Amino acid sequence: MACLSLSQLQKFQEDGFLVLEGFFSADECVAMQQRIGEIVAKMDVPVHCRTEFSTQGEEQLRAQEISWSLQRNPSTKLATALARSLGLQMPMVVQSMYIFKQPRFGGEVSPHQDASFLYTEPLGRVLGLWIAVEDATLENGCLWFIPGSHTSGVSRRMVRAPAGSALGTCFLGSEPAWDNSLFVPTPVQRGALVLIHGEVVHKSEQNLSNRSRQAYTFHLMEASGTIWSPENWLQPTAELPFPPLYT
């Protein structure tokens, strides 16, 4: 697992995202698919959790962290050297998700910033790692980014609702009407790793193809000198603390 080069670091700092093709082999992707199959086979998923991923407000508030969110440690092979090359001193894994994006079913994910849901003080302490378990194409719903949009702060936040509210969370602020012409498509091949800055604006379209677009994604927080907002919907507990990436 090679460290990032200076040019790659500069590209990530400028754009707020970085594509690393061939980060995982085809065999490793197959192993991930097999493992998620084993996990799903043993799961008794409540009906209210059986929904597709969305960042639309009402859908999201009803679902409360959706799309088969799996609160598990990623494999130890996942990017320790990479995290160190980014200067992360105490990275903690705050969440992970396996996204199936089924053929002609996987819904769109509207423009958003991850830090809206995983907020820290100061900002700039959340990093997404998005693994293409299958090819992600224009037809099956690849990621789209607005390069450089990670430098303007966070436009809205999802926070825990006051006690007694019907819903568990609510939004503060509002999402701007992002100019669609600013988005750049990012199709990648199976095995690619996409680094995603917590404040970069990104989205994905609905999967209208006959092929799925499976991906495994998890988020790291730099814990050194960072306050994890007590208003975030996701909070560590004694039973399920945020595990460290470095062991």
Side-chain angles (χ1 to χ4, degrees), residues 71-119:
Q71 200 63 30
R72 297 174 181 269
N73 296 342
S75 160
T76 54
K77 180 156 187 177
L78 293 179
T80 297
L82 182 65
R84 292 189 188 279
S85 72
L86 287 165
L88 300 182
Q89 299 177 30
M90 295 176 58
M92 312 294 285
V93 182
V94 299
Q95 71 165 358
S96 66
M97 296 185 292
Y98 195 95
I99 303 171
F100 292 93
K101 198 96 170 181
Q102 299 288 27
R104 301 192 177 279
F105 177 77
E108 69 173 325
V109 177
S110 58
H112 67 283
Q113 300 166 289
D114 292 341
S116 293
F117 312 98
L118 309 172
Y119 188 81

Side-chain angles (χ1 to χ4, degrees), residues 162-222:
S165 300
L167 297 173
T169 59
C170 61
F171 282 99
L172 301 178
S174 60
E175 202 72 57
W178 302 105
D179 184 350
N180 277 331
S181 67
L182 298 177
F183 283 92
V184 174
T186 312
V188 295
Q189 295 182 343
R190 177 185 225 182
L193 173 66
V194 184
L195 301 181
I196 304 175
H197 190 285
E199 283 106 79
V200 72
V201 180
H202 58 291
K203 66 175 183 176
S204 68
E205 303 292 346
Q206 184 178 359
N207 184 359
L208 299 177
S209 77
N210 293 320
R211 298 180 59 187
S212 60
R213 191 226 65 183
Q214 295 186 22
Y216 176 54
T217 180
F218 65 99
H219 288 89
L220 300 177
M221 173 191 65
E222 170 57 84

